[in-house]
Amino acid sequence: MNINPHHKYHQNNISKTVDRFRQDILLDLGSNPKKLSSKYFYDKIGDELFQKIMNMESYYLTNCELDIFKTKTAQIADFIRPNNEPFDLIELGAGDAMKSSYLLQYLVDQGATFSFMPIDISGNILSVLKNKLNDSIPNLEIICLKGEYFEMIDQATTLSSRRKVVLFLGSNIGNMEYEQALQFCSELKDKLSAGDYLLIGFDLKKHPKTILQAYDDRTGITASFNLNLLKRINQELDADFDISQFEHYQTYDPSTGACRSYLISLINQQVTIGEYQIPFYENEAIFMEISQKFSPEDIHDLARESGFVTVTELYDTKKWFMDAIWKVS
Ligand SMILES: C[S@@+](CC[C@H](N)C(=O)[O-])C[C@H]1O[C@@H](n2cnc3c(N)ncnc32)[C@H](O)[C@@H]1O
């Protein structure tokens, strides 16, 4: 029998990924209070549901950041490549790169020398992105990096020694608690070099009802997005969650800016995951995701405490969202 070494390597990587997924899920559901990591939302169905969320009128974040990328494209390009030298444009958690594609098109039109390196934990969304960009911007050089943020940044630095510009859009940074976000930005700064840039998106504090509606739509798309993680655990980890016995619950605390989603167990129940039994009592919550909202002062503190220097701050027309450009000095 012929063994293809690439095939074996691929299989090993898949089983390592599944092992990590299983370990994280068992650890998080074994903790008190129970939680799940939102980075696991994004399988094929999760990616599709997130695209539906982005198209919802109430999910204002996408349109606000799109406004910045459509109307301030030249400004962004001038800030991130002041000397026109070659660079790598890395996008963390790129998704389908819908917003960044405006910047990519502009840079290609300007004849900029750069490679686009989208990083995402979802292999599915990276193939969607690649197909889309190959069609719309055929001259763009794309190197897809599938995996966790920092592991893939290390890979990007091994692949090329060019100057780096990192995009971290969609207020993904808000999916971390403040201490985690600070540690994330500090570690990111340490991985970059003097003269590198970070363009980072922040959803700003605004009327609490506007925020709550963005995450608690009447059509139930956000609820399905959260519940889909239980379906994914059923499929990939041999589990038996009864999805109808869990309900999505959303909160927003205007004094801290923390918007949190939960799944609530509707009854006392036991769930089997492989050889493990996980008990849930009636009304017990699984904490799913934080989407932190920021004031401009919170953002200045984060830049300063993590060691970045603020270059500029770009707002959408409504001033609901900010893309900050930070530099490593
Ligand atoms: C909320 S979506 C945002 C997508 C895009 N940045 C935007 O603004 O539209 C988050 C994306 O980040 C990816 N992601 C989440 N956690 C990640 C991690 N730890 N490492 C790599 N990618 C991650 C997800 O797969 C998903 O595509």
Side-chain angles (χ1 to χ4, degrees), residues 119 149-159 191:
I119 292 176
Y149 298 135
F150 285 135
E151 287 168 26
M152 292 304 111
I153 289 179
D154 289 343
Q155 201 158 315
T157 3
T158 321
L159 289 173
K191 286 190 182 289

Side-chain angles (χ1 to χ4, degrees), residues 177-190 198 202 294-310 326-327:
E177 305 283 347
Y178 187 80
E179 280 310 312
Q180 257 181 305
L182 177 56
Q183 199 190 336
F184 182 89
C185 291
S186 308
E187 203 174 328
L188 179 57
K189 200 218 104 198
D190 291 343
L198 169 66
F202 294 94
F294 299 84
S295 67
E297 294 71 35
D298 297 332
I299 298 167
H300 302 156
D301 289 349
L302 189 58
R304 197 187 52 254
E305 288 176 30
S306 57
F308 279 101
V309 175
T310 301
W326 296 350
K327 188 177 178 180

Side-chain angles (χ1 to χ4, degrees), residues 39 42 50 54 65 91 93-95 99 120-122 125 147-149 169-170 172:
K39 72 180 176 192
Y42 302 92
F50 186 68
M54 289 201 298
E65 200 171 30
E91 181 165 356
K99 291 166 283 186
D120 207 290
I121 200 170
S122 163
I125 203 70
E148 295 266 352
Y149 298 135
L169 309 184
N172 279 18

Side-chain angles (χ1 to χ4, degrees), residues 214-259:
Y215 294 88
D216 201 14
D217 60 291
R218 292 211 191 103
T219 54
I221 297 174
T222 316
S224 307
F225 181 59
N226 280 266
L227 288 164
N228 181 58
L229 179 48
L230 304 187
K231 290 189 188 166
R232 181 178 182 190
I233 297 171
N234 280 351
Q235 275 160 17
E236 294 182 30
L237 301 181
D238 187 25
D240 65 357
F241 275 102
D242 179 352
I243 310 302
S244 66
Q245 297 302 347
F246 288 87
E247 191 175 75
H248 173 238
Y249 176 69
Q250 192 71 37
T251 67
Y252 176 62
D253 177 353
S255 53
T256 62
C259 189

